[in-house]
Amino acid sequence: MLVLDLERELSVPPAVAFALVSEPDRMNRWSEARVERVLGGDAGHPGGTGALRRVRPRMMGREVVLEEVIERAEAPGLLVYRVLAGGGVKQHRGTITITPSARGSRVHWRVEATLAALPLEWAARAALRPSLERSLDAMARVATEMDDHVEVTLPPLRSLDELAESRALLREAEACMESQRAYADMLLERDDDRGWFARVYEHVTEGQLIACAAGRFDHPAWVLRLVIAFHGLWEENLAIRLGERSGDVEAHWVKAHRRAETAARDDATVFVRAMRSIHAGMRAHIEDDLPRAIAKVHLSSYAGRADLARFRADYLRMGDIFLEASAKIREVLPREAWTPRERVLDVLTPDAMRGALIEKRYYPIARRRREAFERAVGLVRVLG
């Protein structure tokens, strides 16, 4: 892992220092890497929690494009961001702390990064520290040139303490997982291929609950509410399709169920049948149910308390959980049912590249999930 610690004294108060390190327009006054605003965070602030930006550093003589999300913006003292994609990065997290000092403020910047291969880490170490050192020197010069009374707008501080609610929400979310497990067991026992998506869904929910317990989310109650709302849409449509409840199955689930119910056509292997079922379920659930579930949670529990954009960082943290769920499904599918091509790909594909392989060959989960969140932002804007 690459770890860098850098520090500078700035001749501006912490609030101004925070603006310098968080807002793309101000960052471009001192950063060697070009920074572009993509989407605003909480309250639309370019440096607020949930903001997305694109950073273009140069490494080994060429420009690299990194996508970043601001995970925590506690102005004026703390900014935490994470690289989502680009540059062969497996993991990259930056933590900037700002404290008052005799001159104005002290900025401490820690970078922790793991790249896809050791040679990339060596190259990054050789290029990144000198570039950041020069950039921070430039930031210190920019600070000396700023007006003593420059006005800045900081992202809002929110009080979203939901510890008491989380306990009850956890029990309800656990019941959702048990329901998914029961449906998976029942359907697969009957050789009903809809059970494969139910099994994947169970693993995803389990991963979310484990991540909540491990403290991986800043807003675990929001995550649990989303688990519950998301599950409700799937369960309702499945129960109606199975004749357990009355009502009409929604059109996107009619299509998904039909595909799963005919997955065994052409004498397909268990592997192919499972992939067909999982693909159909993911399309229906992610592309149609997920935006509505996100919007419902926000409008019922957070409207007026925070912008939906604030939860974008927690939402994006869930990405790895889907890959972990896919890995569990690979373990239970009989190896002899895999196609020869899939066996070769499974052996030759490094763990760091499995996500990209799934995106390309089966279903672009990461892209569709991001689209679902932004569609939910639009729904909240219209309905709220």
Side-chain angles (χ1 to χ4, degrees):
M1 174 182 280
L2 169 66
V3 179
L4 301 176
D5 284 288
L6 304 99
E7 193 165 280
R8 288 294 184 279
E9 290 270 348
L10 302 184
S11 58
V12 291
V16 178
F18 186 92
L20 279 172
V21 301
S22 65
E23 299 177 19
D25 288 346
R26 297 183 191 272
M27 295 173 72
N28 286 324
R29 297 179 60 187
W30 54 266
S31 174
E32 287 192 356
R34 179 74 183 171
V35 184
E36 302 168 0
R37 172 177 175 165
V38 177
L39 290 169
D42 195 4
H45 196 285
T49 299
L52 293 179
R53 61 194 188 190
R54 194 172 292 117
V55 183
R56 299 177 180 271
R58 294 193 67 82
M59 290 181 58
M60 295 182 288
R62 67 184 184 90
E63 184 179 79
V64 176
V65 181
L66 304 176
E67 293 182 75
E68 295 182 353
V69 61
I70 294 179
E71 293 193 324
R72 295 175 68 186
E74 298 176 6
L78 178 67
L79 184 81
V80 180
Y81 66 90
R82 178 169 62 92
V83 172
L84 299 171
V89 173
K90 288 175 62 177
Q91 177 184 336
H92 180 128
R93 181 182 175 92
T95 304
I96 301 173
T97 54
I98 303 170
T99 54
S101 71
R103 287 190 59 200
S105 56
R106 178 178 293 108
V107 175
H108 181 267
W109 193 334
R110 164 166 278 222
V111 175
E112 301 168 281
T114 304
L115 278 71
L118 274 178
L120 289 175
E121 280 195 26
W122 298 333
R125 188 184 301 275
L128 188 56
R129 177 178 281 278
S131 177
L132 284 176
E133 294 280 10
R134 291 191 299 268
S135 291
L136 291 181
D137 287 341
M139 180 169 62
R141 289 194 297 271
V142 167
T144 63
E145 298 166 0
M146 297 182 75
D147 188 289
D148 290 342
H149 304 291
V150 62
E151 292 187 5
V152 296
T153 301
L154 298 179
L157 292 174
R158 306 287 193 186
S159 178
L160 294 175
D161 182 4
E162 298 183 290
L163 182 60
E165 296 95 324
S166 293
R167 296 188 183 95
L169 291 169
L170 177 59
R171 290 191 293 272
E172 192 172 350
E174 288 173 338
C176 293
M177 182 181 68
E178 293 302 325
S179 171
Q180 293 156 13
R181 179 176 297 141
Y183 271 120
D185 290 345
M186 177 190 73
L187 293 168
L188 292 176
E189 178 68 24
R190 296 182 350 194
D191 201 29
D192 186 328
D193 289 316
R194 285 174 293 191
W196 291 113
F197 176 72
R199 184 69 77 209
V200 169
Y201 196 11
E202 172 203 340
H203 290 323
V204 169
T205 301
E206 180 183 35
Q208 290 171 315
L209 299 185
I210 291 172
C212 283
R216 284 173 56 182
F217 301 115
D218 287 328
H219 305 98
W222 181 84
V223 174
L224 294 171
R225 285 189 171 97
L226 182 57
V227 166
I228 295 162
F230 200 31
H231 168 83
L233 293 169
W234 168 80
E235 185 183 50
E236 178 74 8
N237 281 282
L238 179 59
I240 294 172
R241 185 73 172 184
L242 293 173
E244 298 174 351
R245 300 177 192 171
S246 60
D248 296 322
V249 178
E250 294 179 282
H252 59 285
W253 276 113
V254 169
K255 188 175 182 180
H257 287 312
R258 284 175 179 166
R259 286 180 175 174
E261 289 158 1
T262 59
R265 66 185 182 278
D266 309 323
D267 297 321
T269 66
V270 173
F271 180 88
V272 172
R273 290 165 58 183
M275 291 302 102
R276 286 172 175 171
S277 168
I278 292 167
H279 180 267
M282 285 195 301
R283 285 197 63 181
H285 210 28
I286 292 174
E287 296 176 25
D288 289 275
D289 290 347
L290 187 51
R292 293 183 295 154
I294 297 169
K296 176 184 177 181
V297 167
H298 187 78
L299 292 171
S300 63
S301 301
Y302 297 97
R305 301 173 65 194
D307 284 357
L308 178 53
R310 180 178 189 84
F311 305 100
R312 188 184 282 120
D314 271 342
Y315 178 80
L316 294 173
R317 283 190 182 105
M318 299 179 198
D320 290 345
I321 294 172
F322 287 82
L323 299 180
E324 294 162 6
S326 299
K328 289 184 178 180
I329 284 293
R330 291 204 319 271
E331 294 169 4
V332 301
L333 284 169
R335 193 77 175 180
E336 61 272 14
W338 292 36
T339 65
R341 179 181 176 84
E342 300 305 332
R343 293 181 204 172
V344 172
L345 286 172
D346 187 61
V347 171
L348 298 181
T349 305
D351 288 343
M353 296 180 63
R354 290 190 184 276
L357 178 66
I358 291 172
E359 292 277 317
K360 184 176 181 179
R361 282 191 55 78
Y362 301 114
Y363 183 73
I365 300 174
R367 178 155 54 93
R368 294 292 185 245
R369 287 189 70 253
R370 287 181 64 169
E371 291 170 353
F373 188 90
E374 302 314 323
R375 286 176 60 196
V377 171
L379 286 173
V380 168
R381 190 178 297 120
V382 171
L383 300 175

